[in-house]
Amino acid sequence: MEAPTKRPKMTGRAFYESIRSPKYILAPMVDQSEFAWRLLTRSFLPSSQRPSLLAYTPMFHARLFQETKTFRDHHFQPSRTGLPSFPASKSSSASGDGEDGQQTLPNEPPYLDGHPTHDRPLIVQFCSNSPQEFLSAATHVSPYCDAVDLNLGCPQGIARKGHYGSFLQESPDLIHSLISTLAENLRVPVTAKMRVLDTREDTLRYAKMLLEAGASWIAVHGRRREQKGHETGLADWHIIRYLRDKLPPETVIIANGNILGYEDLERCLEVTGADGVMSAEGNLCDPGIFAGPEGREEGKKSGEYWIGSDGRKGGWRMDAVLRRYLDIIYTHVLEQTPPSRQPLFVPGNKNANAEPSTAQPASETPAKTLSQPVHPTVSASLPDHSTTTITTTTTTQDEQPPHAKKPKPNPPEPKTKTKTKTKTTSPNLLAIRPHLFHFLRPLISTHTHIRDRLARSYAGDMQSYEEILRMIEDVTREGLVAYAGNHESFQEKESETVPAPEKEATAEIVEGEGEESSASTIKKYKRPPWICQPYVRPLPKEAFERGSLSLGKKARKKLEVEREELEARREESSGSGDGGSGGGGGGRREERDERDGIPAPEVAKEAMVCG
């Protein structure tokens, strides 16, 4: 097929508006924002709203992507024969990729990534420290996406070692060259995703440099490079607001951080003033996070969206989410008809499946169910090198009848059974098990037979995933019946799940004053274990107090200084005799906002911990 007709290259806000000014964005996640997951996330929105959800691919390594065809074919699959090979030269024009501004693409229908009907708008993200490698990699994908993004936010050790991601912050000239090279030579716009720096002023200078280099917009993660793992902590929405107020009004800003549920999306937009808001870990725990009232109403009618007895707490059922996910894998990746299933169980619905399935616990499931290879269409639909066959042998003794007691002098040779296991490199099949561990976390932490069965599955093991689905349906059925019979008992158990030291924490948490706690957040988002819900990370202070985080000398000294300063402020407040400040906390917060020059809307307390 031929590349799209050459058109003027749009940048900045004009480009943003050309893709319907998306408010909600699925973040780039390494090996976790692949085609099938993007399609699943969009499926929870009404069909008319799906084209307005912007999604990013997982982060790709630009050098490996442009050097190796096998790497490209394994990670980005817009066609069944893979991406075409061609050089990216300095003469590539801004509106095309060859000398005439066009590419000759395979004359075949689209397959997965960048599918014009199912997977747009789409941005492909790369990490890189070489302008030419970045341009070459971007040239390969430019016909199949709306823009290319430079990762400037990855805080992991491998990024430090490879000198990319957030560890390019100390190399502004290199960053400028990376962005300007694509802005001048690529047919689609280039954007950048960054983390905030230590001060508001440094962050502003950094953002201005990215925009001056040619970035059409910036996505700002409100955490510093050091905030990761147990030290993740809170994203600072106020710094994003500071950028919004200081940068030109036509600048497009995407906010990222502190998104646990749908309500946080609108709160973030209100507090930061950003054009759009991005979700990463919140989406991994609940792929229906972007579904607004209209999408949830459709889910209620189908029984997929559960509402608690109070009429306020709700969420997507895990069995319904897994059904959708597997059906997408069957339909689009394996290109086969999904298996027929009985209707979802809904209490009081006579048409629903009211009988438990025949799925066995992991400990009783015959091992032979693990030997089913990936469906043959995988090998046919993916490049030849995308699957590898591994043959293993197992030995079993002939079964003896129960009445046989005489030992045989010459026992027969044991039979050898050969099992063929197909190993796939399809990113959509490889991602299934990690995704299930993510959004099933509340369920498998207590129903360990499901966790054990999932642990024994492998990429493309669709029979195992069907068995896991039946197990989840059984647990959900039992849970729905039990909840309908005694929902007060569940509410009591819910309050007991909050760790004892946190129960006394007040919901009126003042950020930056040493009174932060995740207790109210846990309570707000707690659902039955068979309902999708966010994972609330403990704050660094809580992790330290529980012993799961150890501090180095510098961090311990900093903590001691902060405690001394906090104690001094408390003494000063108590000695001032000013009762109008609410103990000093509210007054100090108001003073800080005035000093920063930031409007005073309060950051949502419930959105303090995020992925």
Side-chain angles (χ1 to χ4, degrees):
M1 59 182 174
E2 294 296 320
T5 305
K6 186 167 65 175
R7 62 179 182 179
K9 177 179 176 179
M10 288 184 287
T11 59
R13 186 159 294 277
F15 163 61
Y16 180 69
E17 293 173 351
S18 74
I19 57 172
R20 303 181 61 165
S21 303
K23 284 174 56 179
Y24 302 146
I25 298 99
L26 174 59
M29 296 172 282
V30 176
D31 297 331
Q32 295 283 272
S33 56
E34 76 291 343
F35 168 84
W37 192 258
R38 299 193 296 265
L39 194 57
L40 174 66
T41 299
R42 287 187 168 109
S43 73
F44 291 96
L45 277 66
S47 56
S48 62
Q49 297 178 14
R50 291 171 190 171
S52 63
L53 179 68
L54 172 63
Y56 283 64
T57 67
M59 181 191 77
F60 303 135
H61 194 293
R63 178 179 60 79
L64 297 176
F65 199 93
Q66 64 94 25
E67 280 182 354
T68 312
K69 185 179 188 302
T70 301
F71 184 90
R72 294 194 295 272
D73 291 342
H74 284 179
H75 291 84
F76 195 77
Q77 300 168 343
S79 68
R80 290 166 181 78
T81 58
L83 286 165
S85 297
F86 53 86
S89 66
K90 294 181 180 180
S91 62
S92 297
S93 69
S95 58
D97 297 310
E99 291 182 359
D100 59 353
Q102 293 290 316
Q103 288 181 10
T104 300
L105 304 179
N107 187 22
E108 59 177 290
Y111 180 39
L112 299 177
D113 297 286
H115 193 289
T117 303
H118 309 308
D119 198 30
R120 303 296 280 270
L122 177 69
I123 293 182
V124 179
Q125 189 188 68
F126 291 99
C127 66
S128 182
N129 56 22
S130 165
Q132 285 309 309
E133 290 175 353
F134 188 24
L135 176 60
S136 178
T139 301
H140 281 287
V141 302
S142 61
Y144 310 101
C145 65
D146 296 280
V148 169
D149 185 76
L150 176 62
N151 182 308
L152 295 172
C154 182
Q156 303 303 321
I158 192 172
R160 179 195 297 272
K161 183 177 180 181
H163 190 51
Y164 60 81
S166 63
F167 297 96
L168 291 180
Q169 289 176 0
E170 288 78 19
S171 306
D173 292 341
L174 175 57
I175 293 176
H176 191 284
S177 179
L178 287 164
I179 294 176
S180 62
T181 298
L182 265 67
E184 296 167 3
N185 297 287
L186 195 66
R187 66 186 297 272
V188 296
V190 58
T191 63
K193 187 173 186 296
M194 56 173 278
R195 285 192 172 224
V196 299
L197 276 61
D198 290 335
T199 68
R200 296 174 303 137
E201 293 75 18
D202 289 343
T203 304
L204 178 60
R205 283 191 290 269
Y206 188 41
K208 285 182 175 180
M209 182 270 292
L210 300 179
L211 295 167
E212 290 170 357
S216 282
W217 73 54
I218 53 174
V220 185
H221 189 160
R223 291 183 173 89
R224 293 173 290 104
R225 182 170 61 193
E226 296 76 21
Q227 290 181 269
K228 58 184 179 180
H230 284 303
E231 297 185 76
T232 297
L234 309 180
D236 191 339
W237 285 354
H238 289 294
I239 291 186
I240 303 176
R241 182 73 201 203
Y242 178 78
L243 296 180
R244 171 77 286 165
D245 293 340
K246 297 297 182 180
L247 291 171
E250 66 270 16
T251 304
V252 177
I253 299 176
I254 308 298
N256 180 209
N258 292 358
I259 304 301
L260 292 176
Y262 177 79
E263 297 77 9
D264 301 326
L265 298 169
E266 292 300 325
R267 290 194 189 102
C268 180
L269 292 174
E270 179 183 355
V271 173
T272 63
D275 296 277
V277 57
M278 178 181 284
S279 175
E281 191 171 13
N283 166 263
L284 292 179
C285 296
D286 179 6
I289 192 171
F290 296 112
E294 189 176 343
R296 293 198 295 267
E297 193 60 36
E298 290 184 4
K300 293 176 190 176
K301 294 177 181 178
S302 65
E304 295 176 294
Y305 192 85
W306 171 86
I307 290 292
S309 58
D310 60 1
R312 294 182 292 109
K313 281 191 174 184
W316 295 96
R317 289 172 47 173
M318 290 178 178
D319 56 348
V321 172
L322 184 52
R323 281 190 178 203
R324 285 197 187 206
Y325 187 25
L326 294 181
D327 285 354
I328 287 172
I329 294 293
Y330 284 120
T331 303
H332 297 277
V333 180
L334 302 180
E335 297 184 295
Q336 67 184 65
T337 304
S340 59
R341 301 189 179 97
Q342 293 181 335
L344 278 176
F345 171 76
V346 179
N349 186 347
K350 296 180 180 180
N351 296 325
N353 176 24
E355 296 297 326
S357 72
T358 57
Q360 298 173 330
S363 59
E364 301 175 10
T365 302
K368 64 182 181 181
T369 59
L370 293 175
S371 64
Q372 180 183 355
V374 177
H375 192 276
T377 54
V378 177
S379 299
S381 60
L382 298 179
D384 294 338
H385 48 262
S386 64
T387 57
T388 303
T389 300
I390 300 175
T391 302
T392 60
T393 60
T394 58
T395 301
T396 59
Q397 293 285 352
D398 278 343
E399 293 184 1
Q400 298 293 324
H403 60 274
K405 296 181 180 179
K406 290 184 179 181
K408 294 183 179 180
N410 295 315
E413 292 293 327
K415 290 183 178 180
T416 299
K417 293 183 180 180
T418 302
K419 294 197 251 185
T420 302
K421 178 178 175 181
T422 303
K423 189 175 182 179
T424 180
T425 57
S426 166
N428 296 284
L429 298 180
L430 289 170
I432 296 176
R433 193 170 75 155
H435 277 307
L436 297 193
F437 272 116
H438 249 114
F439 77 81
L440 295 178
R441 181 178 185 140
L443 185 70
I444 61 179
S445 62
T446 54
H447 295 81
T448 56
H449 68 289
I450 301 178
R451 180 197 63 196
D452 296 341
R453 190 67 185 87
L454 178 58
R456 296 207 312 271
S457 66
Y458 59 87
D461 187 7
M462 300 305 292
Q463 181 173 336
S464 288
Y465 298 138
E466 288 293 332
E467 291 177 7
I468 291 167
L469 171 59
R470 290 193 291 271
M471 292 179 181
I472 296 170
E473 288 175 339
D474 290 347
V475 170
T476 304
R477 181 186 301 104
E478 295 170 2
L480 286 168
V481 172
Y483 187 91
N486 189 7
H487 56 80
E488 293 86 358
S489 175
F490 170 78
Q491 293 171 351
E492 292 175 2
K493 292 180 180 179
E494 175 184 296
S495 62
E496 293 172 2
T497 59
V498 180
E502 296 178 349
K503 286 184 180 179
E504 299 177 359
T506 174
E508 296 298 323
I509 301 168
V510 180
E511 297 180 29
E513 300 299 330
E515 300 297 334
E516 297 168 349
S517 169
S518 58
S520 62
T521 309
I522 294 173
K523 185 175 181 180
K524 175 183 173 64
Y525 286 102
K526 186 65 177 177
R527 302 289 189 273
W530 25 270
I531 297 298
C532 290
Q533 53 198 280
Y535 169 57
V536 180
R537 294 180 182 274
L539 295 170
K541 176 185 174 183
E542 296 169 340
F544 175 68
E545 291 174 349
R546 296 174 191 174
S548 56
L549 174 64
S550 59
L551 302 180
K553 292 182 179 179
K554 291 183 179 179
R556 285 199 300 269
K557 185 175 181 181
K558 180 180 179 181
L559 183 61
E560 290 175 0
V561 171
E562 290 176 350
R563 285 176 175 172
E564 291 175 358
E565 291 177 349
L566 175 60
E567 188 64 29
R569 288 197 298 269
R570 284 175 174 170
E571 292 178 358
E572 180 181 351
S573 175
S574 60
S576 65
D578 183 4
S581 63
R588 289 195 300 274
R589 177 59 179 265
E590 182 179 355
E591 179 183 347
R592 186 184 71 173
D593 288 341
E594 291 176 355
R595 182 178 68 250
D596 289 349
I598 300 171
E602 190 80 3
V603 174
K605 305 299 189 304
E606 298 82 3
M608 291 200 317
V609 185
C610 136

